[in-house]
Amino acid sequence: MDEKYFAKKIEAKWQKIWSDSGAFAAEIVNDKPKFYQLEMLPYPSGNLHMGHVRNYSVGDAIAWYKRLKGFNVLHPIGWDSFGQPAEDAAVKRGVNPRDWTEENIKAMRGQLERLGLSYDWGRQMFAHRPDYYKFDQWFFLKMYDMGLAYKKLTQVNWCETDQATLSNEQASGGLCWRCGNPVTKKDLEQWFLKTTAYADELIDGLDELESGWPQHVIKRQRDWIGKSVGAFIDFSLAQGEHEQIKVFTTRIDTIFGVNSIVLAAEHPIVDQYIESFSEAVQAKIEELRQEKLKPTDREVEIEKDGIDTGMKAVNPFSGEEVPVWVGNYVMMEYGTGAVMSVPGHDERDFEFASKFGLPIRRVIVDPGADPVEPDESVEAAHYQKGVLVQSGDWTGLSSEQAITVMTAHARAQGFGEAAKTYRLRDWGISRQRFWGSPIPIIYCDECGTVPEKFENLPVELPENASITGTGESPLAKVPEFYEAECPKCGGAARRETDTMDTFVDSSWYFFRYTDHDNE
Ligand SMILES: [Zn+2]
Ligand SMILES: [Zn+2]
């Protein structure tokens, strides 16, 4: 035995023995208790960095501990190998993204092995290989069949420099996460997965995490789903033919305090009536729309801005006519794109009303408080629940009682109903990229949008494509790829040329390790 520890010699010897004997392969059938030690899969960028080493050493220590405690341990690793860096390399250095990726994987696997990490290498998954992304497509078709995958025209975050669409997270602060340049908006037809169908399930699932996860992480997740329980209420336009503006509110008990309706600049009613507005109003609305196209930092409050359109809407509870404004703090993407402004009881509305000198009325007071004079000035928004005042037949009720009975009244009268809204959006998965899983959809002039047949999966990427980084899908220039036969009528048709967001790959890889050779 050597008297010193010669790392290269000893480690190489044992690493070979481990590898030859399959020392870390999980056993398929045995009576030991099972333990699944999972670490996030790396992106094959070329080299490991110390963050990888730190993360994977922690996981390895746990895997070893469990193994020595007698568990049958599954400790796999794989590669999140689709994505933009491979395409960037193709643009900058003219390399084939596939070759670049495979070489990086080889180099990084060597590094992981030299670190002595105890992986079950036999279960590796590679997101960019057809045997893996076939199942991205399989899931997509299943979701399509269930109505959970659909296509719609949307405004996307767009980086002019990278010529790429970005998720909200990738455009946070209004700046591109890759290049740091300002993000703009662009209209595109995109495929979506209906994550919102699972909003309640996602919230309920958080209860299971209560004991093991930090509270602030759970709270962030809850806020991200952003469930609001309230009601839809229809305000009729004073002019027009029974036109209505639907608002969502969590505080129907404050409806006698409404001083205006505020619409998003993109609201359909605005489009419909814009010709009837004065030139000054039209110009202001155009300005507000342009402002919205500029990058915004969602963390920073923008200064409230808006304009009175001159239209009036009728409060269905009080019969009162209130002005219809367009405001920059109302988003078409959230709720209904229209809010009832209650400055006495909502801080944002208070700020807006104060800035534009709109009337502010108090309709909720603390229990036992002095009655309110109708013209009493209101110094600040009072958002707590309490007892209704100046609220017609509902005066004297508590907020909780009022919410129940006023919602029921709205429903009985046909101008409203109980409703839930979420901040969570459906997931836009289309990317105008080469290096991703092709979306298994075919467009036929006769049959319209037709899903690829399951037996034709995987829809394979071509060997290469001309990747210029100019924003168009590279696959749209590869006839061998996009020329397809319609699965329905057999006629000539065209394949979807967008690929899936790489987060599709990394949203199910941990299942693949358990079933890695399933074809
Ligand atoms: Zn960029
Ligand atoms: Zn057809």
Side-chain angles (χ1 to χ4, degrees), residues 74-90:
L74 170 59
H75 187 209
I77 192 81
W79 306 96
D80 196 6
S81 45
F82 268 143
Q84 201 170 336
E87 273 190 67
D88 290 347

Side-chain angles (χ1 to χ4, degrees), residues 444-448 450 486-491:
C444 170
D445 287 342
E446 296 300 317
C447 316
V450 185
C486 170
K488 212 166 173 182
C489 71

Side-chain angles (χ1 to χ4, degrees), residues 378-392:
V378 179
E379 301 302 329
H382 175 97
Y383 54 83
Q384 296 88 346
K385 290 178 177 166
V387 177
L388 276 67
V389 293
Q390 306 194 79
S391 293

Side-chain angles (χ1 to χ4, degrees), residues 320-390:
E320 187 184 5
E321 280 194 7
V322 293
V324 177
W325 282 63
V326 169
N328 66 343
Y329 69 104
V330 182
M331 302 294 155
M332 204 56 223
E333 298 81 31
Y334 295 114
T336 60
V339 301
M340 56 180 224
S341 181
V342 187
H345 303 283
D346 179 281
E347 279 181 58
R348 290 187 324 165
D349 296 342
F350 184 84
E351 220 181 292
F352 192 73
S354 303
K355 174 162 178 180
F356 292 104
L358 297 169
I360 303 175
R361 194 185 301 152
R362 174 147 290 174
V363 293
I364 305 284
V365 294
D366 291 331
D370 293 335
V372 181
E373 297 302 323
D375 53 358
E376 192 176 311
S377 78
V378 179
E379 301 302 329
H382 175 97
Y383 54 83
Q384 296 88 346
K385 290 178 177 166
V387 177
L388 276 67
V389 293
Q390 306 194 79

